[in-house]
Amino acid sequence: MSRFGGRLREYPQLSIDRFDHDNLRARAYFLSHCHKDHMKGLRAPALRRRLQSSLKVKLYCSPVTKELLLTNSKYEFWENHIVALEVETPTQISLVDETTGEKEDIEVTLLPAGHCPGSVMFLFQGENGTVLYTGDFRLAKGEAARMELLHSGTRVKDIQSVYLDTTFCDPRFYHIPSREECLNGILELVRSWTSLSRYHVVWLNCKAAYGYEYLFINLSEELGIKVHVNRLDMFKNMPEILYHITTDRYTQIHACRHPKDDDYFRGNRLPCGITCQNGTPLHVISIKPSTMWFGERIKKTNVIVRTGESTYRACFSFHSSYSEIKDFLSYICPVNVYPNVLPVGGSEDKVMEILQPLCRSYRRNTEPRYKPLGTLKRACKRNLSDTDEDELFDTEPTFARPKIAKYQGEESKPSKTAQSENAEGNINESTESYRANTTYTSLKVDFVDCEESNDDDDDDDDDKEDDSEKNTAQVLSHEPDANSLASCNGISSKQQESNADIPRWDMFFKCNKVDESSENEDNFPSSADAGGSQSLFSDSDGVSDSTHISSQNSSQSTHISEQGSQGWDSQIDTVLIASQERNAADFGYFSRCGSRTALPSHETPMDGQADNNRWKPLGQNPSCASDVICDLKIEDCDEDAEAGTASAQDLLVEISDSSRTPDLELKRDFQSSSDFEIPLTPEAEIPQRDKLHYLYKKLAAGESIMRKNSPEKR
DNA sequence: GCGATCAGGT
DNA sequence: CACACCTGATCGC
């Protein structure tokens, strides 16, 4: 939960995500997303009164956030005071003090944050420097490098301070499976269950919060089953969401809620109240999205855990993992960082020990840092003259930091006014004392021991595993065990070969940061962590390893048996879902721009681009409209339903490799970033695996890399 | 009656 | 162990 007090040291006239206490005097308000813990004071009478007596004060947010906010009648009074800013469109804002007439201009840019629909980060540029407030965010590794507006020319902007979402800034949360991995796990589970019969339904036990929409959309798109929800009026102007949710209770996927929904579920009743259809009782499983995390060197990354006869937990995270946070911050490399959140169990000290070494003031700048993403993912043809920053040293490699602009000479001492006026600024103040009193040793904290998964009952196993590895070398590989991965996934020997040959950065370059050695992690999804035993499923009873079908077992199929035909203990043996790593290995990268529906929530206004169509047409096949697909699939479902009366054995579904639709196969190969509309760098492409290999070799040989245009590029 | 805060729940 | 809520009790206005 955010503990940010609302104000930036550099621009105390602004209030962000806090609207109480001294924030009542702000000249402008900003809301990063529509979660309650970022809306404190937003509907309080005090602020309401202020609005009534002011002509100038505005609330700035993304178009989606505005829409979501105004659909809630409690916030309707904001209507004439909200300004929706388009994402990734720098906007000049005049900050006027209405009592003195004093005026100051600031430029703000909204950047997609990948946290929930409409969620953005705010990049402020003004006379006190460039400051990034991340709000809550989940960005995969390397996504900062793809954000054009974080760059100036070919380099990262010179950012004075980052106010950072540090929810999972603790090595315990080293790795959280990517959005794609989680989505695929849930998709397979839901597919397996719902295809048993039309009376097999799934209840997604989601919390009351925005952020699950992309899950609903993807399930609906893939399975042709709309998701039942309590309300959909907030999405009335977001057809790309609206199309996939419904208030019709007679659907096989539910995300509806009821105050006593757990009791309902125990009685085989959905939160919306239904227990049967056409007189036939429903068979309900629940899937509870929850954050699962894994330590640095964990060998397995199950994204689905069975917690009971018909209950599952599925990995799902709104926030960046520890390694994602570090990747993000080290890419930005600001002068200062301030945590917005204190991770539970973590102290301010610990967080700052982790973050400070990634900041400029504490970073050794004698040693060049190689920034693979900064160069690979961005086109390097730009003329240096189009930058607005000091780029005199154009002979420097592009990973070098830009020079520090003049206003940074003082290391940005927080302004006294900011501190004294900020009643909620306790975090900031203690942070300040940090900088004054503590010397941070760079790099050491990158390699602290990591605890393992949050799986309730297999902690022991994990700990042992972890212990045995505690004192190993610091440079860590997140590359997959290619052989076991390959056999696990049943891929051909040729593919195996190329997989085993995946070039590693640390083979060619001296990496001094763990993040960089695992830079490719998201490109080779959790295969990076795939050791011997990996599947999407596990049971939470501590015998998960033994119940997984071994990675050596190449006969991949997905089974879910009808309950009742066997005890759930034995049933677990039939529960297996092909790990998505195979898909990654089979198809390598796939540009999200190359497929149809695809794009998990590609059209989802997750980043506030509901009104921005520029991504929508990309690669979409008009003859393949999702309407048609959904209709067809619904028909299929109806036919399948006839089989619903057959015996349990007959109902076993087997999703063989070949039975997967091409669409799905393609879709799975998107980078984890594809859930959000993080734009690719203009003219950049996501290299295919073999091509990447080739590029790496050239890089290692010191040759220049020529870029070819990819035909499916947008 | 409303809001703020806290405890306890999922 | 998380998050992002929700409900209910209590207190103050």
Side-chain angles (χ1 to χ4, degrees):
Chain A
M1 294 283 190
S2 177
R3 286 185 48 183
F4 179 63
R7 298 197 297 169
L8 311 173
R9 289 166 158 59
E10 294 81 2
Y11 299 104
Q13 323 89 309
L14 313 177
S15 281
I16 313 162
D17 288 354
R18 281 298 288 266
F19 309 92
D20 52 359
H21 302 286
D22 288 331
N23 295 303
L24 286 164
R25 293 200 286 271
R27 293 189 199 176
Y29 294 101
F30 296 83
L31 178 62
S32 68
H33 64 286
C34 249
H35 280 163
K36 291 285 193 302
D37 57 324
H38 290 254
M39 295 160 66
K40 220 171 192 182
L42 192 57
R43 42 168 282 206
L47 188 53
R48 209 171 166 151
R49 280 193 297 275
R50 164 128 201 249
L51 289 189
Q52 281 160 3
S53 61
S54 167
L55 295 170
K56 303 271 185 189
V57 69
K58 299 289 179 196
L59 174 68
Y60 299 91
C61 61
S62 70
V64 170
T65 297
K66 177 181 177 181
E67 179 76 20
L68 297 178
L69 191 73
L70 292 181
T71 355
N72 185 335
S73 57
K74 289 174 175 142
Y75 297 97
E76 270 171 5
F77 68 91
W78 273 102
E79 178 135 27
N80 298 321
H81 303 267
I82 299 195
V83 178
L85 300 176
E86 288 302 328
V87 174
E88 294 177 318
T89 308
T91 308
Q92 202 81 23
I93 289 175
S94 279
L95 306 171
V96 181
D97 183 323
E98 288 179 280
T99 55
T100 64
E102 195 182 40
K103 195 181 136 189
E104 182 186 338
D105 280 351
I106 192 164
E107 185 182 292
V108 63
T109 307
L110 279 54
L111 301 170
H115 177 70
C116 71
S119 66
V120 293
M121 311 190 282
F122 293 110
L123 182 70
F124 297 101
Q125 292 170 269
E127 62 181 28
N128 293 329
T130 299
V131 176
L132 179 67
Y133 171 83
T134 68
D136 286 350
F137 75 100
R138 174 133 202 222
L139 297 174
K141 279 199 171 71
E143 288 195 289
R146 283 193 286 271
M147 290 184 171
E148 179 102 29
L149 290 158
L150 279 179
H151 295 78
S152 184
T154 57
R155 298 183 188 179
V156 181
K157 277 181 178 159
D158 179 5
I159 293 179
Q160 177 67 21
S161 295
V162 171
Y163 294 77
L164 187 70
D165 172 15
T166 45
T167 302
F168 291 132
C169 190
D170 183 310
R172 280 194 309 151
F173 312 119
Y174 187 85
H175 176 69
I176 297 172
S178 73
R179 227 181 287 277
E180 281 291 279
E181 291 171 76
C182 299
L183 188 61
N184 287 335
I186 298 171
L187 177 62
E188 290 308 324
L189 175 55
V190 175
R191 186 203 300 278
S192 301
W193 188 252
T194 55
S195 58
L196 291 176
S197 84
R198 71 194 301 177
Y199 305 106
H200 285 75
V201 302
V202 169
W203 173 45
L204 301 171
N205 182 357
C206 299
K207 302 187 184 76
Y210 296 117
Y212 300 99
E213 292 73 16
Y214 84 87
L215 173 61
F216 303 161
I217 288 170
N218 276 276
L219 292 176
S220 167
E221 276 186 354
E222 286 296 329
L223 306 175
I225 304 170
K226 294 190 184 191
V227 180
H228 179 245
V229 294
N230 289 23
R231 287 177 55 210
L232 37 71
D233 53 310
M234 59 286 252
F235 302 121
K236 62 180 186 292
N237 293 324
M238 302 175 210
E240 52 293 294
I241 296 177
L242 199 60
Y243 183 76
H244 298 286
I245 56 179
T246 178
T247 49
D248 174 9
R249 297 185 296 171
Y250 294 101
T251 178
Q252 282 178 282
I253 307 177
H254 290 250
C256 44
R257 299 191 315 124
H258 182 275
K260 290 183 175 163
D261 46 24
D262 275 312
D263 294 342
Y264 271 50
F265 176 71
R266 277 188 281 275
N268 205 44
R269 177 189 291 246
L270 288 161
C272 55
I274 62 170
T275 58
C276 61
Q277 191 180 354
N278 305 330
T280 308
L282 297 176
H283 307 279
V284 189
I285 58 168
S286 84
I287 303 175
K288 186 173 193 166
S290 26
T291 310
M292 296 179 188
W293 54 84
F294 301 93
E296 198 169 5
R297 297 178 63 76
I298 191 154
K299 297 265 192 267
K300 56 176 191 175
T301 54
N302 306 302
V303 301
I304 305 283
V305 174
R306 194 167 189 194
T307 53
E309 190 178 355
S310 48
T311 59
Y312 297 83
R313 276 193 316 171
C315 183
F316 200 91
S317 179
F318 293 159
H319 297 271
S320 282
S321 67
Y322 175 74
S323 57
E324 287 164 345
I325 291 171
K326 294 215 311 179
D327 174 77
F328 180 82
L329 189 66
S330 63
Y331 188 83
I332 306 282
C333 198
V335 176
N336 306 305
V337 62
Y338 307 105
N340 291 343
V341 183
L342 267 196
V344 166
S347 64
E348 182 84 22
D349 295 24
K350 262 177 119 178
V351 172
M352 290 309 290
E353 270 176 36
I354 292 161
L355 299 178
Q356 285 279 9
L358 307 177
C359 294
R360 236 176 297 168
S361 38
Y362 285 84
R363 189 169 247 183
R364 282 177 291 185
N365 48 12
T366 51
E367 208 178 321
R369 295 181 58 261
Y370 194 79
K371 276 284 189 188
L373 294 178
T375 51
L376 266 186
K377 295 198 175 184
R378 290 186 56 78
C380 295
K381 295 174 181 171
R382 304 272 298 257
N383 187 340
L384 287 176
S385 65
D386 69 359
T387 68
D388 56 5
E389 310 221 7
D390 187 341
E391 300 243 22
L392 290 175
F393 302 96
D394 59 356
T395 53
E396 281 182 84
T398 53
F399 52 80
R401 300 300 310 177
K403 284 190 75 176
I404 299 173
K406 56 184 180 301
Y407 47 76
Q408 289 161 1
E410 295 191 336
E411 280 285 314
S412 140
K413 283 252 179 188
S415 88
K416 290 284 181 221
T417 43
Q419 297 219 348
S420 58
E421 283 179 11
N422 192 347
E424 305 286 325
N426 46 355
I427 292 178
N428 293 348
E429 287 177 34
S430 55
T431 304
E432 167 61 15
S433 70
Y434 247 100
R435 284 195 287 133
N437 304 328
T438 315
T439 304
Y440 293 93
T441 323
S442 175
L443 298 176
K444 285 193 179 144
V445 293
D446 287 350
F447 307 104
V448 292
D449 296 329
C450 290
E451 289 170 29
E452 297 291 327
S453 144
N454 56 331
D455 285 1
D456 295 332
D457 300 308
D458 58 14
D459 281 353
D460 289 347
D461 292 343
D462 291 341
D463 289 347
K464 274 176 218 152
E465 185 178 55
D466 210 28
D467 286 347
S468 68
E469 292 170 339
K470 263 181 183 157
N471 297 316
T472 53
Q474 292 183 344
V475 176
L476 302 170
S477 162
H478 269 252
E479 295 308 320
D481 172 339
N483 289 326
S484 57
L485 171 66
S487 53
C488 168
N489 293 324
I491 62 177
S492 75
S493 57
K494 188 179 176 189
Q495 286 163 324
Q496 230 182 91
E497 222 171 85
S498 73
N499 201 27
D501 284 349
I502 291 170
R504 294 161 40 158
W505 285 107
D506 58 1
M507 290 170 64
F508 299 115
F509 304 102
K510 179 172 176 270
C511 290
N512 55 7
K513 271 182 68 266
V514 62
D515 303 58
E516 289 173 5
S517 70
S518 59
E519 198 76 76
N520 290 326
E521 187 173 285
D522 290 307
N523 296 337
F524 311 125
S526 69
S527 58
D529 292 335
S533 170
Q534 174 149 9
S535 76
L536 293 184
F537 277 0
S538 76
D539 291 272
S540 60
D541 60 2
V543 293
S544 52
D545 279 347
S546 60
T547 59
H548 294 158
I549 291 183
S550 147
S551 59
Q552 306 308 316
N553 181 343
S554 61
S555 61
Q556 292 284 308
S557 60
T558 303
H559 291 183
I560 282 197
S561 69
E562 170 66 281
Q563 284 177 48
S565 63
Q566 39 190 318
W568 83 269
D569 287 319
S570 56
Q571 183 184 328
I572 55 183
D573 290 331
T574 68
V575 175
L576 171 79
I577 278 186
S579 69
Q580 72 287 7
E581 283 70 44
R582 182 191 54 76
N583 299 289
D586 281 350
F587 292 89
Y589 310 105
F590 190 84
S591 160
R592 64 186 185 140
C593 304
S595 165
R596 95 158 158 139
T597 55
L599 320 196
S601 54
H602 201 167
E603 301 162 12
T604 313
M606 187 67 119
D607 64 0
Q609 296 195 30
D611 304 323
N612 186 339
N613 286 335
R614 68 194 153 123
W615 297 103
K616 281 192 184 176
L618 302 182
Q620 280 202 340
N621 180 347
S623 68
C624 214
S626 46
D627 306 50
V628 178
I629 288 159
C630 282
D631 289 348
L632 289 174
K633 286 188 178 170
I634 285 163
E635 276 178 36
D636 289 344
C637 275
D638 288 337
E639 282 173 33
D640 290 349
E642 295 306 312
T645 54
S647 74
Q649 278 304 318
D650 293 334
L651 290 175
L652 279 175
V653 277
E654 195 162 311
I655 301 176
S656 67
D657 291 345
S658 60
S659 74
R660 290 209 169 85
T661 66
D663 275 342
L664 175 55
E665 297 285 16
L666 294 176
K667 179 171 176 172
R668 288 168 169 229
D669 293 314
F670 293 175
Q671 291 195 322
S672 55
S673 61
S674 63
D675 293 325
F676 301 102
E677 301 175 33
I678 309 300
L680 295 171
T681 301
E683 301 178 59
E685 64 183 275
I686 299 173
Q688 298 297 313
R689 179 159 304 209
D690 52 348
K691 191 169 171 188
L692 194 60
H693 189 184
Y694 165 79
L695 291 171
Y696 285 2
K697 277 189 167 166
K698 294 203 87 168
L699 256 181
E703 298 171 34
S704 71
I705 298 175
M706 295 295 293
R707 294 175 67 259
K708 286 184 222 155
N709 282 331
S710 147
E712 76 267 24
K713 232 180 63 180
R714 60 197 166 92

